Coordinates of all heavy atoms in Angstrom, one line a residue:
S1 N -9.9 10.7 29.5 CA -10.7 10.3 28.4 C -10.1 9.0 27.8 O -8.9 8.6 28.1 CB -10.7 11.3 27.3 OG -9.5 11.6 26.7
I2 N -10.9 8.3 27.0 CA -10.5 7.1 26.3 C -11.2 7.1 25.0 O -12.3 7.6 24.8 CB -10.9 5.8 27.1 CG1 -10.4 4.6 26.3 CG2 -12.4 5.7 27.3 CD1 -10.6 3.3 27.1
S3 N -10.5 6.6 24.0 CA -11.1 6.4 22.7 C -10.6 5.0 22.1 O -9.5 4.5 22.4 CB -10.7 7.5 21.7 OG -9.4 7.4 21.2
Q4 N -11.5 4.5 21.2 CA -11.1 3.3 20.4 C -11.5 3.6 19.0 O -12.5 4.2 18.7 CB -11.8 2.0 20.9 CG -11.3 1.7 22.3 CD -11.8 0.3 22.8 OE1 -13.0 -0.1 22.5 NE2 -11.0 -0.4 23.6
Q5 N -10.6 3.1 18.1 CA -10.8 3.4 16.7 C -10.5 2.1 15.9 O -9.4 1.5 16.1 CB -9.9 4.5 16.2 CG -9.8 4.8 14.7 CD -8.9 6.0 14.4 OE1 -8.6 6.8 15.3 NE2 -8.6 6.1 13.1
I6 N -11.3 1.8 14.9 CA -11.1 0.6 14.1 C -10.5 1.0 12.8 O -11.1 1.9 12.1 CB -12.4 -0.2 13.9 CG1 -12.9 -0.7 15.2 CG2 -12.2 -1.3 12.9 CD1 -14.4 -1.3 15.1
V7 N -9.4 0.4 12.4 CA -8.8 0.6 11.1 C -9.0 -0.7 10.3 O -8.6 -1.8 10.8 CB -7.3 0.9 11.2 CG1 -6.6 1.0 9.8 CG2 -7.0 2.2 11.9
L8 N -9.7 -0.6 9.2 CA -10.0 -1.8 8.5 C -8.8 -2.4 7.8 O -7.9 -1.7 7.4 CB -11.1 -1.5 7.4 CG -12.4 -1.0 7.9 CD1 -13.3 -0.8 6.7 CD2 -13.1 -2.0 8.8
N9 N -8.8 -3.7 7.7 CA -7.6 -4.4 7.1 C -7.5 -3.8 5.6 O -6.3 -3.6 5.2 CB -7.9 -5.9 7.0 CG -6.9 -6.7 6.2 OD1 -7.0 -6.7 5.0 ND2 -6.0 -7.3 6.8
S10 N -8.6 -3.6 5.0 CA -8.5 -3.1 3.6 C -7.9 -1.7 3.5 O -7.1 -1.4 2.6 CB -9.9 -3.1 2.9 OG -10.8 -2.3 3.7
E11 N -8.2 -0.9 4.5 CA -7.5 0.4 4.6 C -6.0 0.3 4.7 O -5.3 1.0 4.0 CB -8.0 1.2 5.8 CG -9.4 1.8 5.7 CD -9.7 2.6 6.9 OE1 -9.9 2.0 8.0 OE2 -9.9 3.8 6.8
Y12 N -5.6 -0.5 5.6 CA -4.2 -0.7 5.9 C -3.4 -1.3 4.7 O -2.4 -0.8 4.3 CB -4.0 -1.5 7.1 CG -2.6 -1.6 7.6 CD1 -2.1 -0.5 8.5 CD2 -1.7 -2.6 7.3 CE1 -0.8 -0.6 8.9 CE2 -0.4 -2.6 7.8 CZ 0.0 -1.6 8.6 OH 1.3 -1.6 9.0
I13 N -4.0 -2.3 4.1 CA -3.4 -2.9 2.9 C -3.3 -2.0 1.7 O -2.3 -1.9 1.0 CB -4.1 -4.3 2.6 CG1 -4.0 -5.2 3.8 CG2 -3.5 -4.9 1.3 CD1 -2.6 -5.6 4.2
N14 N -4.5 -1.3 1.5 CA -4.5 -0.5 0.3 C -3.6 0.8 0.4 O -3.2 1.4 -0.6 CB -6.0 0.0 0.1 CG -6.9 -1.1 -0.4 OD1 -6.4 -2.1 -0.9 ND2 -8.2 -0.9 -0.2
A15 N -3.2 1.1 1.7 CA -2.3 2.2 1.9 C -0.9 1.8 1.8 O 0.0 2.6 2.1 CB -2.6 2.8 3.3
G16 N -0.6 0.5 1.5 CA 0.7 0.0 1.3 C 1.3 -0.8 2.5 O 2.4 -1.2 2.5
G17 N 0.4 -1.2 3.4 CA 0.9 -2.0 4.5 C 0.8 -3.5 4.2 O 0.2 -3.9 3.2
A18 N 1.4 -4.3 5.1 CA 1.4 -5.7 4.9 C 1.5 -6.4 6.3 O 1.8 -5.7 7.3 CB 2.5 -6.2 4.0
A19 N 1.4 -7.7 6.3 CA 1.6 -8.4 7.6 C 3.0 -8.2 8.0 O 4.0 -8.1 7.2 CB 1.3 -9.9 7.4
G20 N 3.2 -8.0 9.3 CA 4.5 -7.8 9.9 C 4.5 -6.7 11.0 O 3.4 -6.2 11.4
N21 N 5.6 -6.3 11.4 CA 5.7 -5.4 12.6 C 5.3 -4.0 12.2 O 5.6 -3.4 11.2 CB 7.1 -5.4 13.1 CG 7.4 -6.6 14.0 OD1 6.5 -7.2 14.5 ND2 8.7 -6.9 14.3
I22 N 4.5 -3.4 13.1 CA 4.3 -1.9 13.2 C 5.2 -1.4 14.3 O 5.1 -1.8 15.4 CB 2.8 -1.6 13.4 CG1 2.0 -2.1 12.2 CG2 2.6 -0.1 13.6 CD1 0.5 -2.0 12.5
T23 N 6.0 -0.4 14.0 CA 7.0 0.1 15.0 C 6.6 1.5 15.5 O 7.1 1.9 16.6 CB 8.4 0.1 14.4 OG1 8.4 1.0 13.2 CG2 8.8 -1.3 14.0
K24 N 5.8 2.3 14.8 CA 5.5 3.6 15.2 C 4.0 4.0 14.8 O 3.5 3.4 13.9 CB 6.4 4.7 14.5 CG 7.9 4.5 14.9 CD 8.7 5.6 14.2 CE 10.2 5.4 14.6 NZ 11.1 6.4 13.9
I25 N 3.4 4.9 15.5 CA 2.1 5.4 15.2 C 2.2 6.9 15.4 O 2.9 7.5 16.2 CB 1.0 4.8 16.1 CG1 -0.4 5.2 15.6 CG2 1.3 5.1 17.6 CD1 -1.5 4.5 16.3
K26 N 1.4 7.7 14.5 CA 1.4 9.1 14.5 C 0.0 9.7 14.4 O -0.9 9.1 13.8 CB 2.2 9.7 13.4 CG 3.6 9.1 13.2 CD 4.3 9.6 12.0 CE 5.6 8.9 11.7 NZ 6.3 9.5 10.5
W27 N -0.2 10.8 15.0 CA -1.4 11.6 14.9 C -1.1 13.0 14.5 O 0.0 13.6 14.9 CB -2.2 11.7 16.2 CG -2.8 10.4 16.7 CD1 -4.1 10.0 16.5 CD2 -2.2 9.4 17.5 NE1 -4.3 8.8 17.1 CE2 -3.1 8.4 17.8 CE3 -0.9 9.3 18.0 CZ2 -2.8 7.3 18.5 CZ3 -0.6 8.2 18.8 CH2 -1.6 7.2 19.0
F28 N -1.9 13.7 13.6 CA -1.6 15.0 13.2 C -2.2 16.0 14.2 O -3.5 16.0 14.3 CB -2.1 15.3 11.8 CG -1.6 16.6 11.2 CD1 -0.4 16.7 10.6 CD2 -2.3 17.8 11.4 CE1 0.1 17.9 10.1 CE2 -1.8 19.0 10.9 CZ -0.6 19.1 10.3
I29 N -1.4 16.9 14.8 CA -1.9 17.8 15.8 C -2.3 19.1 15.0 O -1.4 19.8 14.5 CB -0.9 18.2 16.8 CG1 -0.3 16.9 17.4 CG2 -1.5 19.1 17.9 CD1 -1.2 16.0 18.2
N30 N -3.6 19.4 14.9 CA -4.0 20.6 14.2 C -3.9 21.9 15.0 O -3.5 22.9 14.5 CB -5.5 20.4 13.7 CG -5.8 21.3 12.5 OD1 -5.4 21.1 11.4 ND2 -6.6 22.3 12.8
S31 N -4.3 21.8 16.2 CA -4.3 23.0 17.1 C -4.5 22.7 18.5 O -5.1 21.7 18.9 CB -5.4 24.0 16.6 OG -6.7 23.4 16.9
F32 N -3.9 23.5 19.4 CA -4.2 23.6 20.8 C -3.4 24.8 21.4 O -2.5 25.3 20.8 CB -3.7 22.3 21.5 CG -2.2 22.0 21.6 CD1 -1.5 22.5 22.6 CD2 -1.6 21.4 20.6 CE1 -0.1 22.3 22.7 CE2 -0.2 21.1 20.6 CZ 0.5 21.6 21.7
L33 N -3.8 25.2 22.6 CA -3.1 26.3 23.2 C -1.8 25.7 23.8 O -1.9 24.7 24.5 CB -4.0 27.0 24.3 CG -5.1 27.9 23.8 CD1 -5.8 28.5 25.0 CD2 -4.6 28.9 22.9
L34 N -0.7 26.4 23.7 CA 0.6 25.9 24.0 C 0.7 25.4 25.5 O 1.2 24.4 25.7 CB 1.7 27.0 23.8 CG 3.1 26.5 23.9 CD1 3.4 25.4 22.9 CD2 4.1 27.7 23.7
D35 N 0.1 26.2 26.4 CA 0.2 25.8 27.8 C -0.8 24.8 28.2 O -0.9 24.4 29.4 CB 0.1 27.0 28.7 CG -1.2 27.8 28.5 OD1 -2.0 27.4 27.6 OD2 -1.4 28.7 29.3
S36 N -1.7 24.3 27.3 CA -2.7 23.3 27.7 C -2.3 21.9 27.7 O -2.8 21.0 28.3 CB -3.9 23.5 26.8 OG -3.7 23.0 25.5
A37 N -1.2 21.6 26.9 CA -0.8 20.2 26.7 C -0.4 19.5 28.0 O -0.5 18.3 28.1 CB 0.4 20.1 25.7
E38 N 0.1 20.2 29.0 CA 0.5 19.6 30.2 C -0.7 19.0 31.0 O -0.5 18.2 31.9 CB 1.1 20.7 31.2 CG 0.2 21.8 31.6 CD 0.9 22.9 32.4 OE1 2.1 23.0 32.2 OE2 0.2 23.6 33.1
N39 N -1.9 19.3 30.5 CA -3.1 18.7 31.1 C -3.5 17.4 30.5 O -4.5 16.7 31.0 CB -4.3 19.7 31.0 CG -4.0 21.0 31.8 OD1 -3.6 20.9 33.0 ND2 -4.2 22.1 31.2

C-alpha cells in the first residue's frame, strides 16, 4: 500500500512548529493483532 497526506502550514505553525529541521515523525497505533505486524 501507499498513502499521501497533506499537513497544512497553518496546522504545523499553530501546533508550535516553525521553519527548521524536523528530526522525527510518529503515528499512534490504536490496534492490531500481535502476529500481524510482520506482514
Side-chain angles (χ1 to χ4, degrees):
S1 66
I2 181 173
S3 75
Q4 293 187 325
Q5 171 176 344
I6 297 169
V7 177
L8 298 179
N9 173 278
S10 57
E11 285 184 291
Y12 190 82
I13 299 300
N14 291 340
N21 280 340
I22 294 172
T23 60
K24 297 180 181 181
I25 186 171
K26 308 177 189 180
W27 292 265
F28 189 89
I29 311 296
N30 198 74
S31 64
F32 68 91
L33 287 183
L34 189 59
D35 61 352
S36 73
E38 64 185 24
N39 296 312

